[in-house]
Amino acid sequence: MSNSISEIIKKEKLNKADLSYLLSLEGKERDDFLKQTGNHYINSLGKKVYFRGLVEFSNYCTKDCYYCGIRKGNSSSERYDIDDEAIIDAAKFAHENRYGSLVLQAGERSDKIFTDRVTALLKEIKKATNGELGITISLGEQTEEVYQEWFNAGAHRYLLRIETSNKELYYKIHPKDEQHNFEKRIECLRTLQKVGFQTGTGVMIGLPFQTYDQLADDLLFFKAMNVDMVGMGPFIEHTETPLYKYKDDLWPLQRRFEVALNMIASLRLLMPDINIAAATALQAIDPMGREKALRYGANVIMPNITPTTHRKDYTLYENKPCTDEGAEDCSNCLSIRVEMAGREIGYNQWGDSKHFFNRQIDKQ
Ligand code: 5AD
Ligand code: FES
């Protein structure tokens, strides 16, 4: 069997059947697959891992996704909004600690007060860090004008997870209304690419009703959309959300974790030059979750540098790690972890997606 794994790894083009097979691997065959892919990838892409300091600056959200702990309908979530000064301080911290890049994330809002505030913040952060800090934003669905305004203000990468590329499943995990529209989400990804962002997306793994075939389609969706970055992690049920009622029908947490690593390794084979993030949700299941992801295909890690007073309130899912450590502790702990995984940190580098530049060359 491991013969067929090495044959699949060598293939130019992986098809849906290959991917479904790789995703479903268990036990020793799975270990073989992960190890072989890990070696293959380190040899071709190198050992560098890039840091993005993550600031989750507000958990006010206007949407109502059925899986998410900060959904509008969760009245037990303690809401917060970090002031601009503290956000800029966090950016300076990332810069001084040679992180190279920052990720700004928040619950979704599209009112003008919010979008103008983000524009001003981006400009301030660029100024406060001499234009040296790369900025990724993850602020949901917006109009083309807003995306353009944020791009002009200094953000150059954008994350917008599709959550699942299967339309039917999408509507099982989101309300079916104007605000949660599957086609609109895909359209937003295209708009982000048109504006010029390095564009990232991703999915959750182990959702209720989800199958290996659907996950294989997710990987093929990333390829078809020609995205530059992917972040994906296990689904972790949250008590205060509608999907909690399916808790007994889910894959066990450990299996969700295993399939998440299978997804990362398979995607690395399918798209060798993109950036793949080691999602924080991996660590909610396995204390060494993110380091394992780095071994088998991920090359980006996002230390949480949200001021600790609010970190515990950005609870998208339960058992979220690092909610009680200061940013200093987080960064020391992570650098040791990255080295333990046999990787090197690309200090002071933006760590842009090679795929983004390769596709600009392809266009010429
Ligand atoms: N489990 C795992 N990931 C989650 N996210 C939101 N809720 C959960 C959950 N319960 C992820 C979504 C979202 C990202 C910010 O966090 O994929 O896009
Ligand atoms: Fe906030 Fe989904 S609940 S964007």
Side-chain angles (χ1 to χ4, degrees):
M1 259 311 182
S2 33
N3 266 347
S4 74
I5 292 173
S6 34
E7 272 155 34
I8 294 179
I9 291 180
K10 276 191 248 129
K11 267 174 98 166
E12 272 289 300
K13 268 201 175 140
L14 296 176
N15 59 32
K16 182 167 167 181
D18 296 327
L19 294 169
S20 275
Y21 168 73
L22 294 176
L23 297 179
S24 67
L25 288 173
E26 297 177 27
K28 175 161 178 341
E29 288 179 345
R30 174 176 175 272
D31 294 344
D32 274 0
F33 160 57
L34 292 180
K35 210 177 286 160
Q36 288 192 46
T37 308
N39 292 340
H40 181 81
Y41 137 70
I42 299 276
N43 291 338
S44 60
L45 208 79
K47 288 189 170 181
K48 280 274 161 70
V49 170
Y50 302 100
F51 274 9
R52 320 265 185 251
L54 172 65
V55 183
E56 296 158 332
F57 68 86
S58 168
N59 66 354
Y60 284 93
C61 190
T62 54
K63 292 178 83 169
D64 235 346
C65 307
Y66 292 154
Y67 44 84
C68 186
I70 65 165
R71 64 197 297 270
K72 182 177 71 178
N74 179 11
S75 54
S76 63
S77 158
E78 181 117 0
R79 304 290 165 171
Y80 71 86
D81 200 349
I82 295 176
D83 58 44
D84 291 359
E85 210 183 326
I87 301 173
I88 293 162
D89 281 347
K92 286 187 191 151
F93 171 89
H95 185 229
E96 282 155 16
N97 284 274
R98 304 179 294 146
Y99 278 15
S101 292
L102 184 75
V103 179
L104 290 181
Q105 192 175 72
E108 191 166 318
R109 280 179 58 180
S110 50
D111 56 283
K112 193 155 166 32
I113 294 179
F114 180 77
T115 62
D116 282 352
R117 174 187 177 207
V118 171
T119 305
L121 254 175
L122 292 168
K123 291 183 183 159
E124 280 295 318
I125 292 171
K126 276 283 165 192
K127 205 163 83 193
T129 60
N130 306 324
E132 286 165 5
L133 194 66
I135 308 179
T136 306
I137 46 180
S138 177
L139 300 169
E141 295 173 23
Q142 305 289 345
T143 60
E144 180 170 342
E145 290 67 40
V146 168
Y147 284 150
Q148 187 69 58
E149 187 177 304
W150 288 348
F151 185 78
N152 295 346
H156 77 293
R157 293 183 292 238
Y158 204 107
L159 303 170
L160 182 71
R161 286 188 178 181
I162 187 75
E163 315 297 357
T164 169
S165 65
N166 182 286
K167 189 170 166 179
E168 227 172 281
L169 182 57
Y170 191 88
Y171 287 117
K172 285 185 178 149
I173 64 168
H174 296 98
K176 197 165 189 176
D177 62 21
E178 257 305 284
Q179 228 192 346
H180 304 80
N181 183 286
F182 180 69
E183 275 84 20
K184 164 103 191 293
R185 202 145 181 102
I186 295 180
E187 204 42 57
C188 281
L189 285 171
R190 296 223 163 87
T191 307
L192 287 165
Q193 289 175 319
K194 178 174 155 212
V195 166
F197 280 102
Q198 289 177 41
T199 303
T201 190
V203 294
M204 283 177 286
I205 297 151
L207 286 163
F209 318 108
Q210 201 174 32
T211 64
Y212 293 123
D213 273 355
Q214 288 171 347
L215 288 167
D217 278 334
D218 289 339
L219 298 177
L220 293 169
F221 170 85
F222 302 152
K223 174 105 179 161
M225 289 292 293
N226 210 358
V227 296
D228 306 301
M229 327 179 286
V230 170
M232 51 188 176
F235 165 65
I236 299 172
E237 66 275 25
H238 186 296
T239 44
E240 301 303 318
T241 60
L243 290 193
Y244 193 69
K245 63 173 176 282
Y246 300 112
K247 67 179 190 321
D248 298 327
D249 306 325
L250 301 169
W251 289 335
L253 272 178
Q254 190 52 35
R255 185 60 193 155
R256 277 177 253 166
F257 176 81
E258 288 173 11
V259 180
L261 290 190
N262 292 358
M263 282 284 278
I264 289 175
S266 305
L267 179 61
R268 181 51 79 197
L269 294 176
L270 192 68
M271 302 185 78
D273 62 353
I274 64 168
N275 276 353
I276 302 180
T280 313
L282 290 164
Q283 203 190 333
I285 300 182
D286 180 328
M288 293 298 282
R290 288 182 299 185
E291 293 70 18
K292 290 183 182 166
L294 294 178
R295 276 186 203 275
Y296 305 129
N299 66 331
V300 166
I301 195 158
M302 308 203 293
N304 195 334
I305 57 168
T306 307
T308 23
T309 36
H310 293 296
R311 242 192 253 183
K312 64 177 180 357
D313 296 320
Y314 202 82
T315 318
L316 307 178
Y317 45 85
E318 276 143 355
N319 201 18
K320 201 163 170 253
C322 305
T323 47
D324 55 2
E325 288 160 89
E328 297 272 2
D329 305 332
C330 233
S331 108
N332 289 337
C333 150
L334 258 185
S335 54
I336 296 167
R337 283 160 171 269
V338 168
E339 279 153 26
M340 271 175 8
R343 309 294 304 275
E344 287 162 12
I345 301 167
Y347 282 115
N348 271 340
Q349 297 172 42
W350 284 11
D352 282 328
S353 163
K354 292 196 171 66
H355 184 75
F356 178 79
F357 299 102
N358 292 341
R359 74 181 165 87
Q360 307 304 314
I361 295 165
D362 288 347
K363 262 197 236 163
Q364 286 167 8

